[in-house]
Amino acid sequence: MLVIQPKDRTTKMLSILYEGLEARLIESNCSNKEMRHLLHHTSPSERIMLLGHGSDKGLYFRKNDEKEVAERLDWIAFKNQFFSSVFLADADFEKTKLSSKMETQGSGYIKDYSAEMSTVFDPTGEKTTQLFFYFGPNHYKTLTALDKGRTEKWELNRLVYLGWPLIRWINKWFTINIFDWLSSWGLSMGIVLLLMTLIVKAVVFPATWKTYISSAKMRVLKPKIDEIGKKYPKQEDAMKKQQEVMGLYSQYGVSPMGGCLPMLIQFPILMALFMFVPSAIELRQQSFLWADDLSTYDAFINFPFHIPFLGSHLSLFCLLMTVTNILNTKFMMQQQDTGANPQMAAMKWMSYLMPVMFLFILNDYPSGLNYYYFISTLISVVTTLIMRKTTNEEALLAELEAKKKDPKKMKKTGFAARLEAMQKQQEQMMKEKQNRK
């Protein structure tokens, strides 16, 4: 534990700063709605967090937790979604003990945090012990600016959770800068999120188009695939059927995996904004349409009872997001119904179940996040409808027919070759089994 004998004003001030490391979240500082949001929907951004040499760790908000840290630490922070209290030492902290305890409901407090640690201190006063205290917003650029001019960086911007490494990199160099630029126009935060979503959709549109065309090619070949299905109706001929389907795709130069790579490319970009919105302090206490605060949920129906997994309210943006997700799933299922895999029909109900599950998962999440998810999915639905209307499938089939290859001159490679080898191996095993009988 850090012990400082207050001999002068400087050391007394350091003692006061240390006392700030015993903290509580007080219920009276925010509304009951905000309290429920903090209690029920915490992320890696709401916890005791500390930075060591090369790693960051923490105690989580939702449960009681204690930890002794052997490694040397640059700083220790008590943080919630938008604000942090950080104690920093140039000479590092060591022998650290952390504690995080839930308070009794109705006590006036939510959580009790405490930290005990040691650092270098010269009681003679010959050597200065430099300690720093930050109490302020979890704003990425504000925290980054604190490292300006320092040789050894504090990296307090880690307090702002921006997602996994790749997604964090996208948010750092793309999302945050575009968001700040749009915010500087003085627009409503709801309009800023709308413009951000449109920009992101424009960036990923080439990949979206590539994925759609790949599915459209497979869809126009569906009648031919159905003929192959009629040719091999028996279950034991499933391998032959699959091999012939793959051969058909090869003749027409269509790859069943052709839409997967573009989809994977656009996924991190779409997820980046999904991770950024809950951490954006700019959304705090910002209203838009019926939502009073984009940083918490927008309850348009309050129930007099608690519904398991849903809560005691229903968020309108979350409900709209669920409806648009179901519509998007419907169009995606129609687009991907190529007849190549009849077993996919049994999986359709699971695709429709996922949006309903999101209603329960995201009902307590910030309305800004559900608003982003809603308009992002709505744009996807509109984009799909436009692409379907503007794509001439007869012309696409004619183009595929013109490029069709002679099956006799084709060399089987890749998946088709492996499938044929598997089929021959399976047939050989069946013959050996019959011979033993």
Side-chain angles (χ1 to χ4, degrees), residues 52-311:
H53 293 287
S55 65
D56 60 340
K57 303 176 181 178
L59 300 185
Y60 289 93
F61 184 93
R62 294 189 182 188
K63 61 180 182 179
N64 293 345
D65 199 3
E66 291 184 355
K67 183 180 291 185
E68 292 188 12
V69 184
E71 67 180 282
R72 299 173 69 87
L73 305 173
D74 296 323
W75 49 260
I76 297 174
F78 297 161
K79 70 179 297 250
N80 60 22
Q81 187 176 6
F82 294 125
F83 294 95
S84 291
S85 173
V86 190
F87 202 34
L88 309 98
D90 267 356
D92 297 338
F93 294 120
E94 57 184 4
K95 300 177 183 177
T96 303
K97 295 180 181 180
L98 303 174
S99 175
S100 174
K101 297 179 180 179
M102 296 292 294
E103 294 284 7
T104 305
Q105 189 172 3
S107 65
Y109 298 92
I110 296 177
K111 196 78 175 178
D112 182 77
Y113 293 149
S114 65
E116 297 180 5
M117 60 281 191
S118 301
T119 191
V120 175
F121 179 70
D122 182 5
T124 65
E126 292 181 4
K127 286 188 177 182
T128 303
T129 299
Q130 283 193 303
L131 300 174
F132 303 87
F133 186 76
Y134 173 83
F135 181 74
N138 299 331
H139 184 259
Y140 187 85
K141 288 191 175 180
T142 298
L143 295 169
T144 302
L146 296 176
D147 277 336
K148 189 175 181 180
R150 287 185 55 83
T151 304
E152 185 178 345
K153 306 299 184 183
W154 281 329
E155 299 183 53
L156 287 179
N157 54 25
R158 292 197 189 186
L159 290 168
V160 182
Y161 183 71
L162 297 177
W164 312 301
L166 175 59
I167 293 174
R168 182 180 178 85
W169 184 89
I170 295 171
N171 277 326
K172 177 181 177 180
W173 297 109
F174 176 76
T175 310
I176 291 176
N177 291 317
I178 297 296
F179 182 84
D180 288 347
W181 173 60
L182 293 173
S183 299
S184 66
W185 294 1
L187 301 171
S188 162
M189 283 296 114
I191 300 300
V192 170
L193 287 176
L194 173 60
L195 294 176
M196 283 286 294
T197 309
L198 289 171
I199 291 171
V200 169
K201 287 294 186 179
V203 170
V204 302
F205 180 74
T208 303
W209 175 253
K210 183 76 174 176
T211 302
Y212 172 78
I213 288 298
S214 178
S215 297
K217 288 179 179 179
M218 295 174 67
R219 189 167 58 251
V220 298
L221 293 175
K222 185 177 183 300
K224 299 180 183 296
I225 295 171
D226 290 341
E227 291 177 8
I228 296 174
K230 293 176 182 178
K231 183 178 177 181
Y232 299 102
K234 297 180 181 179
Q235 185 65 33
E236 54 266 28
D237 293 331
M239 190 71 77
K240 292 181 179 179
K241 174 186 173 182
Q242 189 67 21
Q243 183 183 357
E244 196 159 328
V245 168
M246 295 305 299
L248 178 72
Y249 285 150
S250 297
Q251 289 178 47
Y252 286 94
V254 175
S255 172
M257 304 298 291
C260 295
L261 183 59
M263 191 178 295
L264 289 174
I265 292 173
Q266 62 179 309
F267 179 76
I269 300 174
L270 296 173
M271 281 300 298
L273 197 53
F274 186 86
M275 292 292 187
F276 167 76
V277 171
S279 300
I281 191 173
E282 292 88 347
L283 301 182
R284 184 174 180 266
Q285 298 180 349
Q286 294 294 312
S287 62
F288 181 68
L289 298 178
W290 57 83
D292 297 328
D293 186 347
L294 288 173
S295 68
T296 187
Y297 56 79
D298 56 317
F300 84 107
I301 296 178
N302 289 294
F303 306 112
F305 47 85
H306 181 83
I307 301 175
F309 306 109
L310 185 68

Side-chain angles (χ1 to χ4, degrees), residues 217-429:
K217 288 179 179 179
M218 295 174 67
R219 189 167 58 251
V220 298
L221 293 175
K222 185 177 183 300
K224 299 180 183 296
I225 295 171
D226 290 341
E227 291 177 8
I228 296 174
K230 293 176 182 178
K231 183 178 177 181
Y232 299 102
K234 297 180 181 179
Q235 185 65 33
E236 54 266 28
D237 293 331
M239 190 71 77
K240 292 181 179 179
K241 174 186 173 182
Q242 189 67 21
Q243 183 183 357
E244 196 159 328
V245 168
M246 295 305 299
L248 178 72
Y249 285 150
S250 297
Q251 289 178 47
Y252 286 94
V254 175
S255 172
M257 304 298 291
C260 295
L261 183 59
M263 191 178 295
L264 289 174
I265 292 173
Q266 62 179 309
F267 179 76
I269 300 174
L270 296 173
M271 281 300 298
L273 197 53
F274 186 86
M275 292 292 187
F276 167 76
V277 171
S279 300
I281 191 173
E282 292 88 347
L283 301 182
R284 184 174 180 266
Q285 298 180 349
Q286 294 294 312
S287 62
F288 181 68
L289 298 178
W290 57 83
D292 297 328
D293 186 347
L294 288 173
S295 68
T296 187
Y297 56 79
D298 56 317
F300 84 107
I301 296 178
N302 289 294
F303 306 112
F305 47 85
H306 181 83
I307 301 175
F309 306 109
L310 185 68
S312 57
H313 72 277
L314 186 61
S315 167
L316 183 53
F317 274 131
C318 187
L319 182 61
L320 291 172
M321 175 272 297
T322 302
V323 172
T324 53
N325 253 311
I326 292 173
L327 288 174
N328 191 49
T329 301
K330 177 183 178 182
F331 291 128
M332 291 297 291
M333 289 294 101
Q334 291 175 351
Q335 183 175 314
Q336 295 173 3
D337 185 14
T338 62
N341 191 355
Q343 294 178 347
M344 287 299 293
M347 300 293 290
K348 282 186 178 181
W349 70 271
M350 292 187 64
S351 299
Y352 287 106
L353 180 63
M354 286 301 294
V356 178
M357 289 177 62
F358 278 128
L359 174 65
F360 291 86
I361 295 170
L362 300 177
N363 188 51
D364 277 346
Y365 273 65
S367 55
L369 180 62
N370 283 320
Y371 168 64
Y372 156 69
Y373 205 174
F374 161 59
I375 56 177
S376 177
T377 311
L378 182 61
I379 292 170
S380 296
V381 171
V382 174
T383 303
T384 301
L385 289 174
I386 292 173
M387 289 190 296
R388 287 290 294 267
K389 290 290 184 181
T390 56
T391 302
N392 188 332
E393 295 191 352
E394 292 182 359
L396 183 61
L397 179 59
E399 181 183 342
L400 292 175
E401 291 286 358
K403 296 179 180 179
K404 182 180 178 182
K405 300 175 183 177
D406 186 348
K408 295 180 180 180
K409 297 180 180 179
M410 287 177 56
K411 182 181 179 181
K412 293 180 181 178
T413 58
F415 182 75
R418 291 194 297 271
L419 192 65
E420 184 178 14
M422 288 172 61
Q423 182 186 359
K424 289 180 178 179
Q425 185 179 7
Q426 188 181 37
E427 290 175 350
Q428 183 65 31
M429 291 173 64

